[in-house]
Amino acid sequence: MPDTEIKRLMKSLGESINETLSDSPKINESIQNIRDAGYEVFLIIEAKIGFNRKSKGEDETVSSVAKSDEPVRLRITRDDAKFLKSLKIAIDEL
């Protein structure tokens, strides 16, 4: 996919996220409550979006793993564990 195409897709995603937030009744109500209390509101949301090109055999591998009845073991990095801990999610070390 050419760079211009991925840039167009990323721009479309950003616009979709912005539109969804703007159209959210809960967000708009909360912002209005703050304004009614006499404050100005500045809402800044940062999104980090990453992507990788999939290889042709990748879908087959994922679907065969998903259909397996055997438990899946996850490898969690220190950063993963730190992030989960910040969300107050405990992980058991086996």
Side-chain angles (χ1 to χ4, degrees):
M1 182 178 303
D3 283 347
T4 54
E5 178 67 6
I6 194 65
K7 286 179 183 177
R8 184 188 65 76
L9 292 170
M10 295 295 286
K11 182 179 179 189
S12 175
L13 175 59
E15 290 170 352
S16 297
I17 291 169
N18 188 41
E19 184 178 317
T20 300
L21 292 173
S22 297
D23 292 344
S24 169
K26 283 185 162 186
I27 291 174
N28 286 325
E29 181 182 345
S30 295
I31 289 173
Q32 191 57 50
N33 289 339
I34 294 169
R35 286 181 179 148
D36 291 346
Y39 296 94
E40 288 185 48
V41 179
F42 301 95
L43 178 62
I44 300 170
I45 298 176
E46 181 179 349
K48 293 186 180 184
I49 302 168
F51 55 90
N52 289 320
R53 187 172 300 279
K54 293 192 309 186
S55 63
K56 291 188 179 195
E58 192 171 329
D59 287 339
E60 295 170 11
T61 303
V62 171
S63 63
S64 66
V65 170
K67 293 178 183 177
S68 174
D69 290 334
E70 295 183 30
V72 177
R73 295 205 41 122
L74 299 175
R75 282 185 255 171
I76 297 178
T77 67
R78 286 184 198 162
D79 288 338
D80 295 334
K82 184 177 176 182
F83 174 71
L84 292 171
K85 185 176 180 179
S86 75
L87 297 175
K88 297 187 178 5
I89 298 173
I91 57 171
D92 295 332
E93 299 210 17
L94 301 173

